[in-house]
Amino acid sequence: MTAPVERGSAGSAPARPAPADAPADVPAGLLADASDGTGKAGKAGETAAGRLGAGVWTALVVVYVVWGSTYLAIRIAVETMPSFLSAAARFLTAGLLLAGFVAVRHGRAGLRVDLPQLGSAALVGLLLLTGGNGLVVLGETSVPSGLAALLVAAVPLWMVLLTAAGGERPKRAELAGVLLGLVGLAVLSAPAIGGSIAPAGVVAIICATLTWASGSFASKRIRMPGNVFASSAYQMLAGGLGNLLIGLARGEEHGLRPGDVSTRSWLALAFLVVFGSLVAFTAYAWLLRSAPLTLVATYAYVNPVVAVLLGWLVLAEPLTGPTLLGGAVVVAGVCLVVSVSRGSGRPSAGKTLRKAAGKAAGTSVRRAVRESSRG
């Protein structure tokens, strides 16, 4: 989850050998990248032709669909559960389960990290899961799930700005795709904003988008654990502890009785643990180290569309003209960003290394020929 340089960026460093504790049972398309934990993108998300592999598209679909459904699940969970404590229960449970899985499959070596890696995972977990997800959960106590998904769509804008601030100039087509997606989201959100919405909830979700984008950006610039599952587990545990401390500081435990929590809230929490965290978050963590940041950010365009469709299917919410138009514009923006990422002609780290080796070999041959002709 930690590419210091986005795959395909100019000046990529040579790829390093794969870590010894890399999971051996991950499907070929979802193998951790060939790095020592610094997260340089390798062969996992890229084919021999330099295009994005099947693993990237599989992980994207998981994040698109599953995370689009979590807004509805969060809304149901907080009907009878306190916000930060419910988020703490979700991530602590998921983190322990994932850590247990790594320990069973790979022994202690699978969870072994040094102190800087642990600190990096904890920082990213706090940004993503306490500041990001925790504030979304808090906001959804007063903001409808569909509108929350629309607000979270600001994440790609912050990501592009952070990437530009980091010295990597986005392509014009990528910026056009981002702007097109935001226009579509504006069309989608216009009818909802006209209603009575608590300003504090909206502010909380906007702050969540900033912290989530910052965590995603930081994860590509700092040294993280090489094992993507162990990295995700440590992030969930750190984020869960952060949510727990905030929930206790807010006094959310006062008057809380498990018997007062509805069955549908328990089921929603179980869905969030298994699918929202164990499946989708791990896929997202892998994508951050294996795919361009602007491509990963497109999940925030698709999630609102999924949320709107689920509202129509599950809650019988009407599909209005603006909803259909905005959804079409959003999908067009996603297609533009995806096409730019797929067609990128910039070399990967492996190609850069091979090209440098080829040039060195060619130079040596030409020098030997010159010297031999002089003799």
Side-chain angles (χ1 to χ4, degrees), residues 38-343:
T38 58
K40 308 237 182 355
K43 296 180 181 179
E46 188 175 21
T47 67
R51 296 184 175 230
L52 299 176
V56 169
W57 303 114
T58 301
L60 275 173
V61 170
V62 169
V63 174
Y64 283 172
V65 177
V66 175
W67 269 0
S69 64
T70 56
Y71 293 96
L72 180 62
I74 290 172
R75 182 66 175 170
I76 295 174
V78 297
E79 287 176 350
T80 56
M81 289 182 176
S83 54
F84 280 100
L85 291 185
S86 67
R90 169 187 175 180
F91 292 117
L92 288 176
T93 302
L96 290 173
L97 288 174
L98 189 56
F101 168 79
V102 174
V104 169
R105 296 292 298 179
H106 309 290
R108 293 183 178 180
L111 293 171
R112 188 174 298 128
V113 294
D114 57 31
L115 191 58
Q117 288 176 323
L118 183 61
S120 296
L123 172 63
V124 173
L126 289 172
L127 288 171
L128 292 179
L129 305 179
T130 301
N133 188 271
L135 288 174
V136 168
V137 176
L138 177 64
E140 284 206 48
T141 59
S142 59
V143 174
S145 61
L147 179 57
L150 296 172
L151 292 171
V152 171
V155 167
L157 176 61
W158 309 135
M159 283 187 173
V160 171
L161 293 177
L162 288 171
T163 299
E168 299 177 29
R169 176 180 295 181
K171 291 185 176 181
R172 291 183 178 179
E174 289 175 322
L175 290 174
V178 170
L179 293 176
L180 184 60
L182 292 176
V183 169
L185 293 170
V187 175
L188 277 173
S189 61
I193 295 177
S196 177
I197 300 171
V202 174
V203 171
I205 295 175
I206 292 176
C207 291
T209 65
L210 290 169
T211 55
W212 184 276
S214 299
S216 300
F217 179 77
S219 71
K220 297 176 77 70
R221 297 307 196 269
I222 58 180
R223 183 169 174 261
M224 299 281 286
N227 186 319
V228 69
F229 294 117
S231 179
S232 296
Y234 288 129
Q235 290 173 56
M236 291 180 194
L237 292 173
L241 287 174
N243 283 312
L244 177 62
L245 293 176
I246 294 177
L248 294 176
R250 297 179 74 240
E252 291 184 353
E253 77 282 6
H254 296 153
L256 175 62
R257 293 182 299 178
D260 294 336
V261 179
S262 67
T263 301
R264 57 190 264 135
S265 289
W266 283 119
L267 291 175
L269 181 62
F271 175 86
L272 291 169
V273 168
V274 176
F275 294 100
S277 296
L278 291 177
V279 177
F281 183 77
T282 301
Y284 180 78
W286 179 83
L287 279 171
L288 283 176
R289 67 165 62 189
S290 304
L293 186 59
T294 49
L295 176 60
V296 178
T298 60
Y299 80 89
Y301 294 157
V302 182
N303 285 174
V305 178
V306 174
V308 170
L309 290 176
L310 285 177
W312 174 63
L313 292 173
V314 178
L315 303 177
E317 296 176 350
L319 285 177
T320 63
T323 297
L324 295 175
L325 176 60
V329 176
V330 166
V331 172
V334 173
C335 291
L336 180 56
V337 173
V338 168
S339 64
V340 172
S341 298
R342 289 190 63 180

